[in-house]
Amino acid sequence: MRTLENGRKRARTDDQKAIRRQSILDAAETLFRQGGFEAFSMTKLAKLAGVVKGTLYLYFETREEVFLVLYNQSLIRWSDTLIGSLVGDMSDEEYIAAFYSTAMSDVGYNPLLARLEQTIEHNVSLQSFIESKRIVLERFGNLSEATARVLKLEISQAIEVVSTFGVLLVGASRADQAPSFDPELIPADVQELLISFSSKDVYSKNALRILAGIRREGRET
């Protein structure tokens, strides 16, 4: 393998390229966790990954291409976790809590989903866009099947639950973007207001209403 400027060897074989690509993605995920979307740059990524900046563009055409793959990875990771938690018969409340807790515990999934259609997908190749959407179709299909099983829903109802809950979670999570002050310095009435608008509270209440509505419509048809 040819030696690069930083002393690392250039990846030649497909296996070497796959390893190098994943090491870049691992560094990208670390960088995203440290500074978020706005502070992320290809220059910082190259430094953290230990490669010259030009090497990044051998694997990803744009910064958004990196984010798209990180989103795909987080979707796979989150959906596996959620499906693994859906066992036996679950109450609506238990399902809603599992959906929220698994999505919010993955530091990449929800923040990347929130920027997916507005920013990330506008600067990626058509091939990357199509590949990502096929991953979404597969994963949401698996989630819908698991949801239908534990909530005793028709598959069409479960698909509506999964897609609607995903959108609801993105919107509800914006409620947590208020400035963080020491709770001891905030009066009780203001604390109560903040709690009522927390993402968990907003999501849980509305998710329960949505699920009840989907069940009701199913009985009426």
Side-chain angles (χ1 to χ4, degrees), residues 54-78:
T55 299
L56 299 180
Y57 294 102
L58 297 176
Y59 298 91
F60 306 98
E61 295 182 12
T62 64
R63 184 180 80 141
E64 287 71 27
E65 291 267 2
V66 178
F67 283 129
L68 185 62
V69 179
L70 289 182
Y71 166 73
N72 293 339
Q73 289 187 161
S74 68
L75 172 60
I76 293 170
R77 188 170 58 230
W78 165 66

Side-chain angles (χ1 to χ4, degrees), residues 178-197:
S180 56
F181 296 107
D182 185 345
E184 295 183 358
L185 302 178
I186 301 177
D189 58 334
V190 177
Q191 285 194 40
E192 185 176 348
L193 175 65
L194 293 175
I195 292 173
S196 69
F197 281 100

Side-chain angles (χ1 to χ4, degrees), residues 86-147:
L86 301 181
V87 294
D89 296 338
M90 300 181 73
S91 68
D92 292 354
E93 291 83 0
E94 288 172 334
Y95 175 87
I96 288 168
F99 197 103
Y100 177 88
S101 63
T102 55
M104 295 301 284
S105 64
D106 191 304
V107 296
Y109 176 69
N110 206 48
L112 289 168
L113 176 60
R115 293 182 179 271
L116 188 66
E117 294 184 352
Q118 292 184 343
T119 305
I120 296 173
E121 291 179 339
H122 289 270
N123 196 28
V124 299
S125 68
L126 177 60
Q127 180 181 353
S128 296
F129 175 81
I130 292 172
E131 289 175 354
S132 177
K133 290 305 181 187
R134 284 177 173 163
I135 292 173
V136 172
L137 285 171
E138 176 196 7
R139 288 288 153 170
F140 272 52
N142 294 342
L143 278 173
S144 297
E145 290 176 3
T147 298

Side-chain angles (χ1 to χ4, degrees), residues 89-96 147-154 156-158 160-161 165 207-221:
D89 296 338
M90 300 181 73
S91 68
D92 292 354
E93 291 83 0
E94 288 172 334
Y95 175 87
I96 288 168
T147 298
R149 183 181 67 252
V150 299
L151 293 183
K152 301 296 186 290
L153 297 172
E154 298 294 331
S156 60
Q157 294 175 307
E160 186 176 358
V161 167
F165 279 20
L208 194 58
R209 295 187 184 106
I210 290 169
L211 188 47
I214 290 173
R215 288 187 182 282
R216 184 170 57 252
E217 289 177 1
R219 291 192 296 267
E220 293 173 352
T221 56

